[in-house]
Amino acid sequence: TRPLEEALALLPEHERAVAARLRARLAIEFYYSDHDKAEALSAHAVADARAAGDPSALAAALNARRVTLWTPDRIEERLDVSTEMIEAAEEAGDRESVLQGHNWRVVDLMELGERDALGREIAAYEELADAVGLAHYRWYVPLWRSALAQLEGRWADAEALGREALTLADRAGDAMAPWLV
C-alpha cells in the first residue's frame, strides 16, 4: 500500500481521475486490515471520479465501493452501486468492468434469492462474456448455474455444470475455481 499512498500524496490536486483509481485500489487493499479506512477511501474515490467526469475511473471506484460494502446489511446499496458500475463501464466502453458489475449483481441477487432477476443477470453476463471471448470470464456461468441446480435439487445437473466450470477455469488458468465449485 505504501507506493499507492506515496503516489496519491504526490499527485497534483487536479488529477481527480487518477486519484480516484489510486484510492479505489487502496480501498481494496485495506478491505481486510482496516475496513473503515477502506470504506472511506472508496467513498472518496467515487467522489473524485464523479468530479473528474471520467466514466472509466468511476467504474473502477464503484468496483472498490462495492467491495467495501460487502456486508449483509448493505445489500440494496451494493445492488445500486453494481448497477451504476455497469452504466459507467458501458459509457467508458470497458467491457471487462461491465462484466465485473454483472458479476457483483449476480452475487447480490443470489443473496436476495431473486431467482427471475438472477436468471436475467446470468444471461446478460453470459452474452457479454461470450462476446469478449476470454476464457477467464466464461467459467462463472456454469458455476452459477450449478449453484442454482443445487438449490433446486437437480444434483446430476449441478455436478455436470460444476465439472464444466472447473474445465473452463482450468483452461483459463484460474486457480480460484476449485475453491468455489
Side-chain angles (χ1 to χ4, degrees):
T1 62
R2 187 172 188 100
L4 292 170
E5 291 171 314
E6 289 171 1
L8 189 57
L10 295 172
L11 195 66
E13 195 171 312
H14 67 277
E15 294 286 349
R16 301 291 295 269
V18 176
R21 290 179 181 283
L22 289 170
R23 284 190 177 93
R25 187 66 234 157
L26 274 168
I28 291 170
E29 293 297 321
F30 280 112
Y31 177 72
Y32 290 106
S33 64
D34 189 341
H35 190 264
D36 291 340
K37 184 173 185 172
E39 192 169 334
L41 281 163
S42 73
H44 198 163
V46 170
D48 281 339
R50 288 190 203 292
D54 184 321
S56 180
L58 181 57
L62 289 165
N63 182 63
R65 185 74 182 146
R66 168 55 185 77
V67 169
T68 65
L69 294 174
W70 206 340
T71 60
D73 60 319
R74 310 284 293 269
I75 185 74
E76 295 299 331
E77 191 176 354
R78 289 180 357 225
L79 267 171
D80 291 344
V81 167
S82 299
T83 300
E84 186 180 0
M85 179 184 171
I86 291 167
E87 292 166 359
E90 285 174 343
E91 183 180 344
D94 180 352
R95 296 188 306 176
E96 291 186 43
S97 291
V98 172
L99 280 167
Q100 183 58 51
H102 283 294
N103 186 327
W104 288 131
R105 283 186 53 82
V106 166
V107 170
D108 296 339
L109 291 167
M110 268 193 187
E111 284 184 30
L112 287 170
E114 297 285 342
R115 181 64 177 92
D116 292 338
L118 179 58
R120 289 189 300 273
E121 201 66 39
I122 291 171
Y125 180 96
E126 181 177 32
E127 182 179 337
L128 185 54
D130 287 346
V132 169
L134 296 175
H136 171 74
Y137 299 108
R138 290 184 167 159
W139 72 270
Y140 288 101
V141 174
L143 170 75
W144 296 325
R145 289 191 174 136
S146 174
L148 291 174
Q150 289 175 49
L151 290 172
E152 295 166 359
R154 296 182 292 113
W155 308 116
D157 291 342
E159 186 176 347
L161 287 162
R163 281 194 307 272
E164 180 184 350
L166 284 172
T167 298
L168 291 171
D170 186 54
R171 284 186 204 149
D174 195 326
M176 186 69 172
W179 292 96
L180 298 175
V181 176

